[in-house]
Amino acid sequence: MFNSSGRIPELATGASLAHYERRIAAAPLVALVAYQQHHIIGFKLGFALSPQCFYSWLGSVVPSYRSQGVASALLQYQEHWAKAHGYQEIQVKSMLCFSAMRAMLAKHQYL
C-alpha cells in the first residue's frame, strides 16, 4: 500500500504504488514535500494535462500538522511553479468528504 506509514489517512484507500505510477507515467510531474525536523508532514503532487493546463492531483498534510498553513504553502508554491513554467490553468478536484481541503481551496479562490 502507498500509505504504508499510515500517517496520511486520505491515502488509506488500498491503492498500490503501481496504481499511482501508472497515473503519472506519461506526464511531467511536480512533487512537493513539506518537512518538519526531517519528518514528512505534507505533500502535493501534480502533473501536466496539456501544455496549458496543470492538474493539482494529490495532496495532504499529516493530521497533527493541519491548520498550520502547510497545505496553503504547498498550494501557493505549486501555483508559482505552474505559472513560471507556462501553465495558464490549474485544475483540481476534491471529494465532499474532504471538507478541510475544500475549505482551503475556496480560501484560495478555486471553484
Side-chain angles (χ1 to χ4, degrees), residues 24-57:
I24 60 173
L29 171 73
V30 174
L32 304 174
V33 181
Y35 292 91
Q36 175 79 33
Q37 299 177 352
H38 307 290
H39 293 87
I40 295 173
I41 61 168
F43 74 96
K44 192 112 182 95
L45 299 176
F47 57 89
L49 290 175
S50 73
Q52 298 81 26
C53 183
F54 185 82
Y55 182 54
S56 182
W57 178 36

Side-chain angles (χ1 to χ4, degrees), residues 44-100:
K44 192 112 182 95
L45 299 176
F47 57 89
L49 290 175
S50 73
Q52 298 81 26
C53 183
F54 185 82
Y55 182 54
S56 182
W57 178 36
L58 290 175
S60 190
V61 174
V62 172
S64 60
Y65 288 91
R66 293 180 181 175
S67 299
Q68 297 179 31
V70 176
S72 287
L74 289 167
L75 178 67
Q76 290 172 345
Y77 189 91
Q78 188 180 68
E79 288 173 346
H80 291 291
W81 182 93
K83 185 176 181 179
H85 286 83
Y87 295 98
Q88 299 168 4
E89 177 184 353
I90 295 177
Q91 287 188 12
V92 63
K93 295 178 187 174
S94 185
M95 297 180 355
L96 290 174
C97 61
F98 300 134
S99 58

Side-chain angles (χ1 to χ4, degrees), residues 1-14 40-41 43 60-64 66:
M1 180 170 28
F2 184 59
N3 188 33
S4 60
S5 72
R7 294 184 65 203
I8 307 225
E10 290 83 0
L11 293 180
T13 63
I40 295 173
I41 61 168
F43 74 96
S60 190
V61 174
V62 172
S64 60
R66 293 180 181 175

